[in-house]
Amino acid sequence: MARPRTASRLILGLETSCDETAAAVVTPDGRILSNVVSSQADLHARYGGVVPEIASRRHLELVTPVVQEALAEAETSLDDVDVIGVTAGPGLIGALLVGVAAAKAIAWARRLPLAAVDHLQGHVASLYLEPDPLEPPFLCLLASGGHTLLLDVQELGGKPRVLGTTVDDAAGEAFDKGARLLGLGYPGGAEIDRLAREGDPSAYEFPVARVPGLDFSFSGLKTALLYVVRELPPAELESRRADLAAGYQRAIVRALVERTRQAADQTGATAVAVVGGVAANSELRAALPDATAAPLALCTDNAAMIASAARFTEAIPYPGYLALDAYASIA
Ligand code: KG4
Ligand code: ZN
């Protein structure tokens, strides 16, 4: 007997923009039924960063089992899925193409519509999921490995207005490069976060670059750390590593908090939110006690946030998306 089609219209989300192969099943009202993330971090660690070609190949191996696992964990099947949401950009082009091709194939085989989701709007949409969804308007600090943005979010869908961005490195990139200088593993943000708890943040004062407007700059900070590290004999570097991590982290957090507060003052925003991988940082979360931080599991790349954003993205009907392309930079 044919399985009766349930009334629940589920969204299957796919995310492959960097080094996480992820799939998730989300309900139209924002409940996460499954959220599977297969990180390739270990694969890239020995290179100190993501190797695009390796990432693409690994996505190709993982995407089908990850989708299957997401459906199994949600105790559902493609029969109950009504729309596929996939990250179309920005990100590593080869990595994105794997997710987009997989999403197209699933959608096409099932005659389903496909929603091409912007990765950054995906991060913002991590705030719209149950059990504690946030409603716009709010000011959003998006700090990840690829971007640092202050966004004026006025509505659930659509493109938010960019109030500020980084003029050089992204905040997560600053964490990763700092970690590398300190001889810590990749990705470095979580490592610095952990080590900083054992250090004295006032032992080293790192400068917070001042750039006009609401923009950020982190490259000077990285250079400042490089100079300190270069001058320290190896044994001393070992004993000062935690202090250096604490001072370095404090400078990044200060820059992020200062600018976010300024943006809130300028726009009169009453609600402030923080999303992206760096939003997982414990010092940042503590430094913005009144802000809504994305749930920890949804800070770093995942597909639940992509499925969430798909709810507010106009889906392309079958089979119009076969011509859909991925894009590497902000559209
Ligand atoms: O959002 P995400 O997973 O990927 C991009 O879209 O870029 O962010 C990854 C970034 C990495 O740079 C990583 O070092 C940073 O988020 N990150 C952290 C923490 N956890 C991840 N940075 C600071 N503290 C953390 N606890
Ligand atoms: Zn991301």
Side-chain angles (χ1 to χ4, degrees), residues 20 119 123 144-146 172-173 175-176 187-190 193 276-278 280-281 299-301:
E20 266 93 23
H119 183 77
H123 274 298
S144 70
E173 202 177 349
F175 270 107
D176 294 337
D193 194 351
V278 178
N281 185 266
C299 287
T300 45
D301 289 348

Side-chain angles (χ1 to χ4, degrees), residues 280-299:
N281 185 266
S282 55
E283 187 170 340
L284 179 62
R285 292 173 91 90
L288 288 169
D290 299 327
T292 303
L296 271 182
L298 301 179
C299 287

Side-chain angles (χ1 to χ4, degrees), residues 168-320:
D168 40 56
D169 294 345
E173 202 177 349
F175 270 107
D176 294 337
K177 287 179 175 171
R180 201 169 172 174
L181 290 172
L182 291 172
L184 303 170
Y186 170 83
E191 295 271 330
I192 291 194
D193 194 351
R194 191 183 41 75
L195 187 62
R197 284 175 215 156
E198 298 160 24
D200 171 8
S202 54
Y204 291 94
E205 279 281 337
F206 288 104
V208 178
R210 291 191 188 279
V211 279
L214 292 170
D215 285 341
F216 303 87
S217 166
F218 294 106
S219 68
L221 178 62
K222 175 193 61 194
T223 311
L225 178 64
L226 170 70
Y227 288 152
V228 176
V229 168
R230 251 196 342 213
E231 294 305 314
L232 284 176
E236 203 170 332
L237 174 61
E238 189 54 48
S239 64
R240 304 308 296 265
R241 212 189 300 269
D243 290 342
L244 286 166
Y248 189 75
Q249 172 170 286
R250 173 133 314 172
I252 297 176
V253 168
R254 269 198 187 144
L256 294 173
V257 170
E258 207 171 276
R259 277 288 189 258
T260 304
R261 292 235 163 90
Q262 249 175 303
D265 284 348
Q266 279 182 27
T267 57
T270 45
V272 176
V274 200
V275 300
V278 178
N281 185 266
S282 55
E283 187 170 340
L284 179 62
R285 292 173 91 90
L288 288 169
D290 299 327
T292 303
L296 271 182
L298 301 179
C299 287
T300 45
D301 289 348
N302 64 87
M305 70 184 198
I306 302 304
S308 176
R311 297 180 297 148
F312 311 106
T313 307
E314 199 173 334
I316 310 165
Y318 166 87

Side-chain angles (χ1 to χ4, degrees), residues 7-249:
S8 58
R9 301 172 52 250
L10 301 180
I11 303 136
L12 172 66
L14 266 76
E15 153 64 38
T16 65
S17 69
C18 192
D19 62 344
E20 266 93 23
T21 318
V25 178
V26 165
T27 64
D29 56 355
R31 275 179 305 122
I32 303 175
L33 300 188
S34 65
N35 186 24
V36 178
V37 182
S38 178
S39 174
Q40 309 177 1
D42 291 351
L43 205 61
H44 301 281
R46 67 160 127 156
Y47 305 103
V50 179
V51 183
E53 183 59 25
I54 294 177
S56 311
R57 285 164 189 262
R58 191 70 181 134
H59 283 307
L60 206 51
E61 290 166 358
L62 288 172
V63 70
T64 304
V66 164
V67 166
Q68 281 167 341
E69 200 178 323
L71 290 168
E73 260 185 38
E75 295 180 5
T76 189
S77 75
L78 286 174
D79 292 343
D80 294 332
V81 171
D82 267 16
V83 59
I84 313 287
V86 64
T87 308
L92 301 171
I93 196 71
L96 287 162
L97 282 171
V98 176
V100 168
K104 279 184 192 176
I106 299 169
W108 187 82
R110 292 266 161 179
R111 310 290 191 262
L112 294 175
L114 183 148
V117 174
D118 181 278
H119 183 77
L120 304 175
Q121 292 190 35
H123 274 298
V124 176
S126 66
L127 298 163
Y128 303 151
L129 288 159
E130 293 290 337
D132 263 325
L134 184 69
E135 283 276 328
F138 54 85
L139 170 75
C140 187
L141 169 67
L142 189 168
S144 70
H147 299 90
T148 310
L149 294 162
L150 276 166
L151 303 169
D152 178 15
V153 182
Q154 288 293 331
E155 52 183 12
L156 286 164
K159 248 191 160 107
R161 190 161 62 100
V162 176
L163 304 171
T165 186
T166 178
V167 298
D168 40 56
D169 294 345
E173 202 177 349
F175 270 107
D176 294 337
K177 287 179 175 171
R180 201 169 172 174
L181 290 172
L182 291 172
L184 303 170
Y186 170 83
E191 295 271 330
I192 291 194
D193 194 351
R194 191 183 41 75
L195 187 62
R197 284 175 215 156
E198 298 160 24
D200 171 8
S202 54
Y204 291 94
E205 279 281 337
F206 288 104
V208 178
R210 291 191 188 279
V211 279
L214 292 170
D215 285 341
F216 303 87
S217 166
F218 294 106
S219 68
L221 178 62
K222 175 193 61 194
T223 311
L225 178 64
L226 170 70
Y227 288 152
V228 176
V229 168
R230 251 196 342 213
E231 294 305 314
L232 284 176
E236 203 170 332
L237 174 61
E238 189 54 48
S239 64
R240 304 308 296 265
R241 212 189 300 269
D243 290 342
L244 286 166
Y248 189 75
Q249 172 170 286

